[in-house]
Amino acid sequence: MRLKSKVTTMLPAVALCTVGVLALGTVTAHAEDAGNAVRTTTSEAVVGTDAQLSVVQSAGGNYWHLIAPGGAGEAIWSQDPQGSDPGDALMAYDGLADGLGIHAYLSDGRMASTAGHASPYYSKWVTGNLREDHWYTMTVCTEKGGRDITCVSAQVPA
């Protein structure tokens, strides 16, 4: 699959640029995990079930990076507080000046977006306390004009 190859190729570079540490592992989301909690502003969005999720670990914290379709950006999940970064927090990152924005969603209803900002751009952290030792669906979508175009989802822990 061409998209999977591009995402796999861009994964290490995006993770390093995002938090400046090495990715320690890659897992693939299962189809049954990916399709249920995707939130889109249009029924036309294409939902993918073969998402690349990278776990980036640093002293005291875990960051989960879900690469957007085409490698345009990512959704970032901060599982636990690390430095000035909060825990149970979601962020969107747009790394390409391609006319598309990035929407990041969590199945609890929170959303982070880069829409309307020139890339490269990191959204602010969207926070809220979640029950520990539970898994949530994180979704990242490319968007244009407020409409989600393509999305992928994966499970992340709180």
Side-chain angles (χ1 to χ4, degrees):
M1 176 187 279
R2 198 168 133 226
L3 175 62
K4 185 173 181 179
S5 175
K6 283 184 181 180
V7 170
T8 302
T9 301
M10 290 193 65
L11 184 62
V14 172
L16 284 172
C17 292
T18 303
V19 295
V21 294
L22 294 173
L24 297 179
T26 301
V27 297
T28 301
H30 297 286
E32 61 270 15
D33 297 335
N36 296 332
V38 174
R39 301 179 197 309
T40 63
T41 55
T42 175
S43 60
E44 298 167 10
V46 176
V47 179
T49 57
D50 193 20
Q52 293 296 316
L53 184 68
S54 173
V55 182
V56 179
Q57 296 181 321
S58 60
N62 289 329
Y63 295 92
W64 301 74
H65 297 260
L66 182 60
I67 307 301
E74 62 185 285
I76 304 165
W77 175 248
S78 175
Q79 180 180 359
D80 298 310
Q82 171 66 27
S84 63
D85 293 340
D88 293 345
L90 179 69
M91 177 187 287
Y93 169 70
D94 185 352
L96 294 179
D98 57 3
L100 299 175
I102 300 295
H103 285 165
Y105 302 96
L106 194 68
S107 57
D108 75 334
R110 69 185 76 184
M111 181 236 201
S113 176
T114 67
H117 296 276
S119 64
Y121 179 76
Y122 289 90
S123 72
K124 294 183 179 189
W125 288 111
V126 179
T127 62
N129 195 32
L130 294 174
R131 189 171 166 195
E132 296 299 314
D133 300 321
H134 280 77
W135 289 79
Y136 296 85
T137 301
M138 180 170 66
T139 301
V140 64
C141 302
T142 55
E143 71 84 30
K144 178 92 173 165
R147 300 178 73 138
D148 291 337
I149 301 168
T150 55
C151 304
V152 292
S153 298
Q155 298 293 297
V156 293

